[in-house]
Amino acid sequence: MTASHLTGSTTGVSALSSNVNTLPGLTLADRRAEHSRFVQRVRRRYPDELACLPEGAPERATMQAGLATLVQRGLPLPAALRVLRQLVLERLVVLDCEQGASLAVVTRAVTELAEIALDVACELAFHELDDLYGAPQHTDAQGQTVRAQLWVVGMGKLGARELNVSSDIDLIYVYDHDGETAGNAQGRNRISNHEYFGKVVKHIYNTVGETTEHGNVFRVDLALRPNGNSGPSAVSLGALEEYFLVQGREWERFAWLKSRVIAPTACVAAGGANALRGSVLPFVFRRYLDYGVFEALRTLHRQIREHASKRAAGNPGRANDVKLSRGGIREVEFTVQLLQVVRGGQFPELRTRPTLDALPRLCRAGLMPQASADALAEAYRFLRRVEHRIQYLDDQQTHVMPTRDDDLAWLAATMGCANVCEFLHTLDAHRELVAQEFDTLLGGPTNGGCNGKGCNGKNGGAPRTAADDLQSVLAQLPLAFAAKVSQWREHPRVLALKEDSRLRLVRLVQRTGAWLKEGRVSEEAALRMADWIEPLLRRDSYLALLQERPSVHERLLRLLGAAKWPARYLLQHPGVIDELASQQLLTDRFDAAQFEAELESRRAALHSTGEDDEEALLNLLRRAHHAEVFRTLARDLEKVLTVEQVADDLSALADSVLRLTARWCWARLKNRHRDEPAFAIIGYGKLGGKELGYGSDLDIVFVYEDEHENAGEIYAAFVRKMINWLTVKTGEGDLFEIDTALRPNGNSGLLVTSFQAYTNYQQQRGSNTAWTWEHQAMTRARFVLGGVALAGRFDAVREDVITALRDGDSLAREIVAMRAKVRQAHPVRGTMFDVKHSPGGMVDVEFVMQYLVLLHSRTHPELRANTGNINLLRRAEAAGLLAPGMGEAAAQAYRELRQIQHRARLDEAPTQVDAASVQASAAAVRALWQHVLGQAASN
């Protein structure tokens, strides 16, 4: 095998795999660790020391025991660490290549070895430097003088606990406070903390990174620190925070994604290093969906590719780098990290360091198909295991495929392949899959361009002004849209855009214009998009999202073209447009269990990083609710859902939000006295009848059943907290308006009442009892949340109320009188027909059904269930309470009127229509009213 076989990246491997001579099948003998030249050297150099490392896979405890044994044999600690590394790696070659150890066993061992070495190095440095200069100090908030702490931050694979066997370690040294050392025993040699920790860094390097006769423990790289190699070796936390705020670059966010405080172990265990997290998290993960990082990652990846190409120019074999070449390890990591950084601000469950842990999380979040996640995980494991075998050969930090035939045969055998050809074909297949996934996600240089026939994509030599930029595309646009875009030439927000943001805006306008010419979108949609995006121009992330995701751009235009209300909703909650990228958007329905599980997962992720304060949870609920409402809205406008299905999903969503809010509020209630509250929420009106619309308020009643002496006070505080959580406006908006007027005694009654008092009120016990209109409301009441026992008891109370013996004439007169009051409160002027309030409108149907349920459910059990007016009308007809065909006609009329109301509200249009257009439906409802309540109305 010659180096000439290894030209190109994935293509080179394909050529190699097709040109390898047919070799005999490989056997177990070909997998022996002693093929490694590194293993041969260790066994020659340290034959007596090999037994110092206890048998089995190297773990923290066994490596610490091995280190102690080496020290007992007379080796100084720095030398003992170096020898220990040789022994650990020799053991890993045997376990990995001969015994098939998992990737996790190898990476954990190397990572823990680094943690041990850095902890030992810190102890040695502190001990020596404290003697010379005294301990570094600062004054805490209580005025006490305390020791300043140093945090050794592991970056990259060290931070993610996935270190490879011959890797260097990327470190950043951060100390918590500036100050001065205490001085030596004589009180002399005081130096600044900055100087002290700079000396610590040098001391640690001497212990870990310096090359001696035993080699080194790890090569140390500090290039990722603030300001790179020109920056100080150790930086204070305050200086780091300022750097993040003022100078932090996009690529550094990817670097800090995997950061972890490695040492000193005592500091990590005591939780002192948690202070660093508060600075790193907001730098890496932004509050919004951060599509602006796509271009930053493209640039970084291009630079890495160019660097790899330059290195390979004089050595074609270097082009077959399993880490940096096309389809290599780095592209798997970039694919995962990009999705984490884009969404990790709003989806904390994605914040994990190891690549193989992040992939299933991305899958569960709907960001990656299961098949892709599985394939990438398999490819990543394969490539990492190949990487290790390459490094086992000579203990060199290389990722380039070997060129010797015997080395390739050994790689193939230790990877479990029958021959070299099979190995190279498998490697080729994995790399091609990775490259395709990476290119699909990140795209090439034209991704996010016009994607339309009318776009020429000529963006080179960017125009110097916003006016010139926009003027260049006006000729491609229809008149009304061109007039709107023309106004942007002098718009302050457009003039204030950075050049890259302005180019994104121009490309979006170009693409929209091209789609208008093709007839893919309407001009009304384009105008609404322009009105929607104008106030958001300062938030570059939305321009980036629409440019990076043409499918989102097109769906957004279709959505805005369908109705006016979505544009208003999107202006209030612009972040939800990312939901349009989901492949499952139009195929799935709301899943309450999945929704609640995801929110609990996000809350747990916030809790793990100490971010689960009340404001964070309020915003978490709001973002999730707004996103789910938007998904339902998109399905509604695409006519995937009926009006009834929309109401079902919005009602189920409200139920879930109430359940989550109740759980989280109770857990944070200061005076709670039990693990679970003994209370319930009763839904009335549209919530009770599962007929919620967009923006509907919630009619609810709170009850409790608890014998604790302070139960009333406790549950009142609980309910007030819940209402505040549901109604308060945060930066993410609000959730619902809450109406508790249907509680016993209305607004003059207690906010929360005991279940027994609620029962007595509804069942007419005592002097304080419910009115008939409250019993009408009970026909649509529903147990929303609470204990199973209370649910059964509520159902019994509801049934007692609606099946009570009543006088038909008295009931009819009361309901007709109530209907008259409602009509007076909502007068309809002129000749138009109000689909809700006019005679023959929806309210007439609702009052008729309330009357029939209250009067006849005693003898007709089929009317007791809260199944909605349409279903109850059909049941009433089947029971003989309505003339044949009357119930079905009224049901169809009610459905049509509901659809008209729904469409009108979506388009922000009046619900009053031409009477002739609903003549048949109105007549069917009037006939129903006359048949059931006409006589009472005429009296």
Side-chain angles (χ1 to χ4, degrees):
M1 189 64 54
T2 65
S4 61
H5 291 116
L6 291 162
T7 56
S9 53
T10 307
T11 306
V13 175
S14 299
L16 171 63
S17 62
S18 61
N19 288 317
V20 170
N21 295 326
T22 303
L23 298 173
L26 299 169
T27 65
L28 289 177
D30 296 305
R31 298 171 56 176
R32 295 181 66 83
E34 63 190 19
H35 176 82
S36 159
R37 278 138 346 237
F38 161 73
V39 168
Q40 294 170 23
R41 290 197 302 270
V42 172
R43 290 177 178 177
R44 286 195 305 267
R45 178 74 187 275
Y46 303 107
D48 297 332
E49 287 81 2
L50 286 170
C52 292
L53 182 65
E55 294 184 359
E59 297 177 349
R60 188 182 302 276
T62 59
M63 286 187 284
Q64 288 172 331
L67 180 62
T69 302
L70 291 169
V71 171
Q72 289 171 4
R73 290 191 171 201
L75 285 174
L77 260 176
L81 285 170
R82 285 160 171 74
V83 174
L84 176 65
R85 177 190 179 274
Q86 309 283 341
L87 305 184
V88 168
L89 263 63
E90 187 272 345
R91 178 71 55 81
L92 290 177
V93 180
V94 174
L95 292 172
D96 192 359
C97 299
E98 294 184 1
Q99 300 178 24
S102 69
L103 175 64
V105 167
V106 177
T107 55
R108 182 186 64 191
V110 183
T111 300
E112 290 183 350
L113 175 63
E115 292 170 351
I116 291 170
L118 288 168
D119 190 50
V120 168
C122 285
E123 289 183 11
L124 290 174
F126 296 155
H127 179 74
E128 181 174 321
L129 294 172
D130 282 5
D131 283 346
L132 292 172
Y133 307 106
Q137 300 178 135
H138 74 96
T139 304
D140 67 12
Q142 288 72 42
Q144 302 294 315
T145 300
V146 295
R147 184 182 182 102
Q149 300 294 328
L150 176 73
W151 304 316
V152 183
V153 182
M155 309 292 282
K157 289 185 172 63
L158 174 57
R161 297 185 173 91
E162 50 190 18
L163 207 56
N164 61 52
V165 292
S166 293
S167 177
D168 60 2
I169 51 177
D170 294 301
L171 301 179
I172 295 177
Y173 294 93
V174 182
Y175 58 94
D176 60 353
H177 289 94
D178 283 310
E180 189 178 65
T181 63
N184 59 20
Q186 291 76 40
R188 299 176 181 174
N189 291 348
R190 286 189 174 90
I191 59 175
S192 69
N193 288 355
H194 182 75
E195 291 175 278
Y196 175 91
F197 289 120
K199 294 179 183 297
V200 169
V201 172
K202 292 178 181 177
H203 201 288
I204 291 175
Y205 175 80
N206 292 338
T207 302
V208 175
E210 188 175 40
T211 301
T212 71
E213 60 176 314
H214 299 292
N216 55 34
V217 190
F218 288 96
R219 291 172 296 276
V220 177
D221 190 341
L222 304 184
L224 292 176
R225 68 188 186 272
N227 296 305
N229 291 328
S230 63
S233 57
V235 61
S236 70
L237 179 58
L240 179 66
E241 290 173 342
E242 183 178 358
Y243 178 83
F244 284 160
L245 187 64
V246 178
Q247 295 178 259
R249 290 159 291 183
E250 294 291 349
W251 68 263
E252 290 178 289
R253 295 170 59 198
F254 292 94
W256 279 92
L257 170 64
K258 294 193 174 190
S259 65
R260 178 172 62 93
V261 177
I262 305 299
T265 303
C267 186
V268 176
N274 290 340
L276 181 61
R277 183 183 295 149
S279 302
V280 172
L281 285 176
F283 173 65
V284 175
F285 302 109
R286 305 294 162 82
R287 289 179 55 207
Y288 47 83
L289 292 165
D290 190 10
Y291 276 82
V293 298
F294 271 72
E295 193 57 42
L297 189 57
R298 280 197 195 97
T299 301
L300 177 60
H301 185 254
R302 185 168 58 250
Q303 291 171 346
I304 292 172
R305 281 257 181 99
E306 289 171 355
H307 179 66
S309 297
K310 289 177 181 177
R311 291 178 61 204
N315 184 352
R318 285 187 176 275
N320 281 289
D321 187 312
V322 296
K323 179 180 180 180
L324 300 180
S325 294
R326 182 174 184 270
I329 294 166
R330 181 58 55 83
E331 290 192 355
V332 181
E333 294 169 341
F334 275 1
T335 298
V336 172
Q337 290 171 357
L338 179 59
L339 292 172
Q340 287 180 288
V341 170
V342 168
R343 290 176 172 258
Q346 293 197 357
F347 302 95
E349 68 272 26
L350 300 180
R351 301 176 192 174
T352 186
R353 299 179 184 93
T355 301
L356 290 174
D357 183 40
L359 279 166
R361 296 188 186 210
L362 294 171
C363 187
R364 287 194 295 271
L367 303 180
M368 183 179 290
Q370 183 69 55
S372 296
D374 291 344
L376 283 176
E378 183 181 355
Y380 183 76
R381 290 189 185 95
F382 186 91
L383 292 169
R384 288 298 308 275
R385 292 174 65 223
V386 172
E387 172 190 44
H388 285 163
R389 281 149 179 74
I390 293 171
Q391 294 174 352
Y392 290 149
L393 287 169
D394 296 290
D395 188 24
Q396 294 295 310
Q397 187 191 3
T398 179
H399 313 89
V400 176
M401 290 285 290
T403 57
R404 288 173 43 172
D405 285 349
D406 59 338
D407 288 345
L408 278 172
W410 184 73
L411 257 68
T414 58
M415 290 296 293
C417 295
N419 52 54
V420 174
C421 281
E422 179 187 322
F423 165 65
L424 293 173
H425 279 301
T426 305
L427 175 62
D428 181 27
H430 282 306
R431 288 176 61 182
E432 184 59 34
L433 179 138
V434 170
Q436 288 177 4
E437 290 291 336
F438 181 77
D439 290 342
T440 298
L441 176 65
L442 202 60
T446 60
N447 189 63
C450 181
N451 276 13
K453 294 179 181 177
C455 243
N456 56 27
K458 294 178 181 178
N459 295 314
R464 291 180 298 177
T465 68
D468 291 340
D469 263 350
L470 293 168
Q471 183 66 42
S472 66
V473 300
L474 290 180
Q476 307 171 28
L477 308 178
L479 289 178
F481 188 44
K484 178 64 179 177
V485 172
S486 180
Q487 296 172 9
W488 285 351
R489 292 181 298 168
E490 303 299 327
H491 196 291
R493 288 197 182 99
V494 176
L495 296 176
L497 289 175
K498 294 181 294 185
E499 183 178 339
D500 56 347
S501 300
R502 197 169 70 242
L503 288 174
R504 285 183 179 128
L505 178 62
V506 171
R507 288 170 185 153
L508 287 176
V509 171
Q510 285 180 307
R511 187 196 289 157
T512 304
W515 287 345
L516 284 169
K517 283 187 177 180
E518 295 169 20
R520 288 165 66 173
V521 299
S522 69
E523 189 167 13
E524 182 68 29
L527 291 169
R528 287 176 181 168
M529 188 193 79
D531 289 337
W532 169 76
I533 207 168
E534 194 173 283
L536 301 172
L537 286 174
R538 290 177 183 170
R539 300 169 74 174
D540 179 64
S541 58
Y542 299 115
L543 292 175
L545 166 59
L546 294 175
Q547 182 193 337
E548 294 292 346
R549 291 289 183 262
S551 61
V552 173
H553 182 194
E554 185 174 8
R555 275 185 175 176
L556 173 65
L557 285 164
R558 287 210 310 269
L559 202 70
L560 294 174
K564 290 180 180 177
W565 186 81
R568 187 184 303 278
Y569 189 80
L570 283 167
L571 192 57
Q572 294 172 336
H573 314 294
V576 301
I577 64 168
D578 188 59
E579 300 300 326
L580 293 173
S582 169
Q583 297 298 316
Q584 293 78 36
L585 177 66
L586 301 182
T587 58
D588 291 355
R589 291 274 304 273
F590 174 68
D591 185 324
Q594 180 180 346
F595 176 81
E596 293 177 44
E598 287 177 357
L599 268 289
E600 290 290 1
S601 173
R602 288 174 199 163
R603 185 200 59 77
L606 289 173
H607 178 72
S608 70
T609 56
E611 297 176 276
D612 60 335
D613 56 66
E614 193 156 299
E615 182 181 4
L617 296 185
L618 289 172
N619 287 331
L620 180 60
L621 282 169
R622 280 151 178 74
R623 282 194 296 268
H625 176 260
H626 300 333
E628 202 59 57
V629 168
F630 184 70
R631 292 185 191 111
T632 300
L633 174 63
R635 295 164 191 151
D636 181 8
L637 293 175
E638 293 283 357
K639 296 181 172 53
V640 174
L641 301 179
T642 65
V643 174
E644 290 83 2
Q645 289 173 324
V646 169
D648 286 344
D649 287 0
L650 291 176
S651 301
L653 173 60
D655 289 358
S656 286
V657 170
L658 287 171
R659 282 193 292 269
L660 288 164
T661 303
R663 282 202 296 270
W664 295 358
C665 282
W666 184 257
R668 304 175 79 88
L669 191 68
K670 292 180 180 178
N671 59 343
R672 67 187 176 97
H673 60 293
R674 55 193 300 163
D675 292 337
E676 299 290 337
F679 101 123
I681 292 180
I682 312 301
Y684 283 83
K686 292 186 182 300
L687 176 64
K690 295 185 178 180
E691 294 182 354
L692 282 185
Y694 303 111
S696 292
D697 60 3
L698 303 185
D699 294 300
I700 52 182
V701 169
F702 300 94
V703 297
Y704 69 90
E705 186 169 56
D706 194 322
E707 298 302 322
H708 191 275
E709 58 182 354
N710 295 323
E713 177 183 336
I714 293 169
Y715 287 101
F718 175 43
V719 168
R720 283 195 296 270
K721 189 176 188 70
M722 275 196 68
I723 292 175
N724 180 64
W725 272 47
L726 293 165
T727 59
V728 68
K729 289 188 183 296
T730 72
E732 299 289 344
D734 58 4
L735 287 169
F736 299 102
E737 291 294 324
I738 302 297
D739 189 341
T740 60
L742 287 170
R743 67 187 187 270
N745 298 307
N747 290 329
S748 62
L750 296 173
L751 190 58
V752 58
T753 185
S754 70
F755 187 79
Q756 188 58 54
Y758 173 81
T759 301
N760 292 342
Y761 182 82
Q762 295 292 346
Q763 294 182 335
Q764 311 289 317
R765 296 174 187 165
S767 58
N768 184 31
T769 59
W771 296 79
T772 298
W773 66 266
E774 292 176 285
H775 287 172
Q776 287 178 249
M778 185 64 92
T779 64
R780 303 183 74 191
R782 176 172 63 88
F783 190 89
V784 174
L785 69 87
V788 175
L790 269 179
R793 291 182 61 193
F794 165 76
D795 289 341
V797 170
R798 178 181 176 276
E799 186 166 319
D800 285 347
V801 169
I802 65 175
T803 61
L805 184 63
R806 291 178 172 87
D807 177 73
D809 292 340
S810 297
L811 178 64
R813 285 193 297 272
E814 289 188 65
I815 287 183
V816 168
M818 180 57 65
R819 176 68 184 95
K821 288 182 180 179
V822 172
R823 184 170 290 136
Q824 289 172 4
H826 298 86
V828 181
R829 297 178 177 84
T831 60
M832 300 295 284
F833 181 86
D834 189 300
V835 296
K836 184 174 182 180
H837 293 291
S838 288
M842 295 164 61
V843 174
D844 284 355
V845 175
E846 292 163 359
F847 272 68
V848 165
M849 281 317 307
Q850 290 163 13
Y851 171 79
L852 292 175
V853 169
L854 291 176
L855 185 63
H856 296 293
S857 61
R858 183 181 181 87
T859 53
H860 292 281
E862 62 269 32
L863 298 181
R864 298 173 189 173
N866 184 4
T867 60
N869 289 311
I870 291 175
N871 196 19
L872 287 172
L873 281 165
R874 290 168 175 159
R875 292 187 181 191
E877 179 182 324
L881 302 176
L882 300 175
M886 178 176 287
E888 182 60 34
Q892 294 299 333
Y894 185 76
R895 173 176 280 127
E896 182 188 358
L897 295 175
R898 238 182 115 181
Q899 290 170 342
I900 293 171
Q901 180 193 52
H902 185 71
R903 287 196 299 269
R905 288 179 172 171
L906 280 177
D907 211 30
E908 297 183 339
T911 56
Q912 297 181 1
V913 299
D914 180 15
S917 67
V918 291
Q919 183 176 358
S921 294
V925 174
R926 284 195 292 268
L928 172 72
W929 176 270
Q930 186 62 35
H931 178 78
V932 177
L933 293 170
Q935 185 174 355
S938 63
N939 291 338

